[in-house]
């Protein structure tokens, strides 16, 4: 049985082999990138069976995505091939002393044509946790309808809902989807959000006010506020608990939030206290920044245990 179901779009990601602007024509490496599949892979590595729902094009890029996700042990039975639309792609451009730029080419992609027909109701009903982000419902009207449909199935079957707004203003294309993000927050059991995102959505930088607004729905059990290199805050019925940042040598922060989500949700599935879930998430997020790819730095269960127990692994 799949403990966790994730839904979203995975793209093929191209990034320079060396730190160089794309305008200089560097050689590129091909990887996969997608918030929900990143989290599914992270959970699978931590010992929690996960399934990923999406669509890919009937092309080599789609086959690359399928093979990559399947090789990690994630259930890809609900990863549908769409013969009419292409697989989405993106390019990452590292910039010295600045945040990595990302260029998306995903308009009319296979995943943007997902619909309610893609949802396996029995699998959602049997899962412990449904995870999605604010990216998927803005890809198209059918994707938005699909997410709402999936939420209703989950709620009807006591499946917990995890939501990460994962705001990408490039994808908003000048529109304001704040009210949509706030509506999804109202359905969430666990809200895993960037602190800056919540400041934007609630128009305040006061963490207590953010927590009060988030918990006003009466659905929420825990709010995890991710603050990058500053750590995180775990907010629950007992108050606000700062989580210190884990030590790391950051190379590329892209994907860190997804890794945090995987660690946090793994803790939830293991019935750990929320603060322990936050500490696990912080470790997973920090180590994900030590590689250029979105999934290469995701921890395994054994690696996580060594870090939690402050043990040095034996490599030779």
């Amino acid at each position: 049985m799949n403990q966790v179901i994730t839904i979203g779009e995975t793209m093929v990601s191209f990034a320079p082999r060396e730190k160089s602007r794309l305008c200089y024509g560097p050689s590129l490496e091909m990887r996969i990138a997608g918030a929900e599949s990143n989290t599914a892979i992270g959970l699978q590595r931590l010992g929690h069976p996960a399934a990923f729902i999406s669509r890919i094009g009937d092309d080599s890029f789609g086959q690359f995505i399928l093979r990559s996700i399947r090789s990690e042990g994630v259930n890809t039975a609900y990863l549908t091939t769409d013969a009419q639309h292409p697989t989405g792609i993106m390019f990452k451009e590292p910039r010295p002393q600045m945040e990595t730029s990302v260029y998306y080419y995903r308009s009319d992609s296979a995943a943007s044509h997902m619909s309610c027909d893609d949802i396996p109701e029995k699998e959602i009903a049997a899962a412990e946790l449904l995870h999605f982000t604010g990216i998927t419902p803005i890809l198209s009207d059918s994707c938005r309808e699909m997410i709402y449909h999936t939420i209703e199935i989950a709620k009807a079957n006591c499946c917990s809902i995890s939501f990460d707004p994962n705001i990408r203003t490039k994808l908003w294309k000048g529109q304001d989807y704040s009210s949509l993000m706030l509506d999804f927050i109202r359905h969430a059991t666990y809200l895993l959000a960037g602190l800056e995102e919540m400041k934007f959505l609630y128009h305040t930088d006061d963490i207590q006010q953010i927590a009060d607004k988030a918990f006003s729905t009466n659905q929420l059990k825990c709010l995890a506020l991710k603050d990058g290199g500053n750590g995180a805050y775990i907010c629950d019925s007992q108050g606000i608990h700062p989580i210190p940042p884990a030590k790391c040598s950051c190379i590329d922060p892209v994907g860190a939030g997804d890794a945090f989500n995987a660690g946090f949700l793994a803790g939830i599935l293991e019935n750990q206290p929320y603060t322990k879930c936050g500490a696990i998430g912080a470790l997973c997020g920090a180590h994900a920044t030590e590689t250029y790819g979105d999934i290469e730095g995701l921890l395994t269960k054994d690696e996580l245990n060594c870090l939690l127990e402050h043990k040095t692994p034996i490599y030779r």
Side-chain angles (χ1 to χ4, degrees):
M1 184 187 76
N2 303 302
Q3 280 188 299
V4 184
I5 306 287
T6 67
I7 309 173
E9 177 173 28
T10 299
M11 296 166 289
V12 171
S13 171
F14 294 93
R17 291 179 181 273
E18 65 278 355
K19 284 191 174 182
S20 173
R21 298 293 296 268
L22 293 174
C23 61
Y24 295 109
S27 298
L28 302 176
E29 289 185 327
M30 188 167 78
R31 296 185 172 94
I32 65 170
E36 298 83 2
S37 57
N38 290 346
T39 299
I41 292 169
L43 281 160
Q44 192 75 37
R45 287 193 188 180
L46 293 172
H48 297 281
F52 177 56
I53 300 171
S54 189
R55 286 195 195 185
I56 51 175
D58 187 14
D59 47 39
S60 294
F61 291 145
Q63 285 300 305
F64 177 68
I65 288 172
L66 174 61
R67 292 181 182 207
S68 298
I69 297 175
R70 186 169 56 196
S71 70
E72 294 287 345
V74 173
N75 184 347
T76 57
Y78 312 106
L79 190 54
T80 305
T81 299
D82 184 335
Q84 304 301 316
H85 304 97
T87 301
I89 62 174
M90 60 177 278
F91 294 84
K92 293 168 66 175
E93 183 174 38
R95 297 179 300 164
Q97 310 302 318
M98 300 175 70
E99 188 174 352
T100 300
S101 289
V102 178
Y103 304 95
Y104 299 108
Y105 297 86
R106 66 201 304 181
S107 297
D108 204 36
S109 68
S112 72
H113 288 273
M114 287 189 289
S115 70
C116 297
D117 293 337
D118 291 293
I119 301 303
E121 295 192 15
K122 290 183 179 179
E123 291 298 324
I124 302 292
E128 293 183 44
L129 191 65
L130 167 69
H131 175 74
F132 69 99
T133 77
I135 294 174
T136 307
I138 65 170
L139 294 179
S140 65
D141 290 343
S142 66
C143 283
R144 186 156 50 253
E145 292 170 6
M146 175 192 67
I147 290 296
Y148 275 116
H149 175 63
T150 309
I151 288 172
E152 292 307 313
I153 297 170
K155 292 173 71 174
N157 291 277
C158 300
C159 173
S160 296
I161 296 171
S162 166
F163 176 58
D164 180 349
N166 216 338
I167 293 173
R168 296 290 182 267
T169 51
K170 275 191 176 181
L171 298 180
W172 286 20
K173 297 178 180 179
Q175 298 189 61
D176 186 357
Y177 288 100
S178 297
S179 60
L180 183 65
M181 299 299 108
L182 292 171
D183 193 42
F184 287 128
I185 287 173
R186 295 184 188 103
H187 294 285
T189 314
Y190 306 105
L191 176 57
L192 315 178
L195 178 57
E196 292 303 315
E197 293 176 326
M198 297 305 286
K199 289 179 181 179
F200 171 74
L201 290 174
Y202 286 138
H203 309 291
T204 178
D205 57 5
D206 184 278
I207 294 174
Q208 184 62 64
Q209 290 185 28
I210 291 172
D212 289 344
K213 289 176 181 290
F215 277 92
S216 65
T217 64
N218 296 320
Q219 298 288 326
L220 196 64
K221 291 185 177 179
C222 184
L223 163 63
L225 289 172
K226 298 173 283 187
D227 194 21
N230 298 317
Y233 297 91
I234 300 300
C235 309
D236 58 19
S237 59
Q238 305 302 311
I240 298 172
H241 316 280
I243 303 296
K247 293 181 179 180
C248 66
S249 298
C250 180
I251 294 175
D252 182 4
V254 176
D258 306 327
F260 180 101
N261 294 349
F264 182 90
L265 295 176
I268 292 293
L269 293 168
E270 294 164 12
N271 297 312
Q272 299 285 358
Y274 292 141
T275 51
K276 179 68 174 293
C277 296
I280 294 172
L283 274 173
C284 292
H287 281 268
T289 70
E290 296 186 325
T291 64
Y292 284 113
D294 283 19
I295 65 170
E296 284 78 357
L298 295 172
L299 295 174
T300 65
K301 183 68 172 178
D302 287 343
E303 289 168 340
L304 175 62
N305 286 337
C306 284
L307 290 168
L308 290 172
E309 297 169 9
H310 304 289
K311 292 181 178 179
T312 302
I314 298 174
Y315 293 113
R316 59 181 180 176

